[in-house]
Every structure is written in C-alpha cells, then in structure tokens.
Amino acid sequence: MEAVRIRRELLEYLLELARDFYPNEFAGFLRERDGVFEEVLIAPNPHFGSSSAFFDTWMLPYDESIKGTVHSHPGPSPWPSQADLNFFSKFGGVHMIIAYPFTEDSVRAYRSDGSRLGIEVVE
C-alpha cells in the first residue's frame, strides 16, 4: 500500500489538537516539504462543531506546499463520511482523519477518491 510520510512531531501535535478540540472536530491543511508532511495550517475564521468543521478555503494564502488536509472525528470511526468524500474530491491531495480516542492507531489517510493510504511516521 502506498504511504504518506509525516513527521512524528507533527503527528503528535495533530493528536493533541484533536484531544484539545474534543468533543468538536478540528480541521487544517497539511504542508509538505521533500515528500514529508511537516506543518499544519489552520485556516482563518474556522467553525469547529461537534459534527462538522468548516473553513473558507478562499481565505487561504496561495501556498504550493499545501498538499493535504487533516480533520478529527469525535467518534471512533476513522472512515470518511459522504461530506468528507465530497470535500476530498474538490480539494485534492491527501486527507487524514484522526478518530477518537486520538491515538496513532486511530489515524487514517486517504486519496481524494477515498481509497486508503498507509502512513509512515518519520523522525
């Protein structure tokens, strides 16, 4: 299975964000450098609710290093919802979902079409 690469420090930070926002979702954009996700960007004026996260992509700066998205699910399902799949198809790239209880085992990555990718954590 093809895998996305993410820095351990970023993954740990994303897990902490998911815990901090619980019981609401959080969402952000992933910046990639040299094939590895290294930073998260939270869009201006987001709405993080218990069943959805919303942000205006028009508010993002032009940034070619943004190659993916990440959001949390306050429930235990790491699978993308229909709304997630609709968003994936519009944004492109890689999409990570962090499900409750927000551990490394509850993180999944998907392509824009919803097919699953592996995750490789790098130091």
Side-chain angles (χ1 to χ4, degrees):
M1 174 185 309
E2 184 182 346
V4 297
R5 300 175 74 215
I6 185 170
R7 292 258 179 247
R8 174 161 303 284
E9 182 179 11
L10 175 58
L11 179 58
E12 289 172 0
Y13 179 63
L14 294 173
L15 293 170
E16 189 63 35
L17 281 174
R19 290 182 200 111
D20 287 349
F21 276 94
Y22 181 80
N24 292 327
E25 291 190 10
F26 91 94
F29 295 88
L30 296 170
R31 285 186 168 139
E32 181 185 77
R33 187 177 3 234
D34 299 324
V36 179
F37 287 117
E38 295 192 343
E39 295 179 330
V40 63
L41 173 67
I42 305 297
N45 299 318
H47 164 75
F48 299 143
S50 60
S51 62
S52 66
F54 172 79
F55 38 81
D56 188 350
T57 56
W58 290 102
M59 298 292 289
L60 286 173
Y62 177 74
D63 186 339
E64 290 186 3
S65 70
I66 295 174
K67 303 291 185 188
T69 68
V70 60
H71 74 278
S72 63
H73 280 183
S77 172
W79 307 109
S81 67
Q82 189 59 51
D84 292 337
L85 292 171
N86 290 340
F87 176 73
F88 292 178
S89 70
K90 290 178 179 66
F91 192 77
V94 171
H95 308 277
M96 297 182 78
I97 296 176
I98 304 171
Y100 182 86
F102 316 122
T103 64
E104 280 190 42
D105 291 336
S106 64
V107 180
R108 300 289 187 276
Y110 302 93
R111 290 182 186 89
S112 295
D113 66 3
S115 59
R116 192 157 166 206
L117 293 163
I119 298 172
E120 179 186 347
V121 180
V122 297
E123 299 303 323

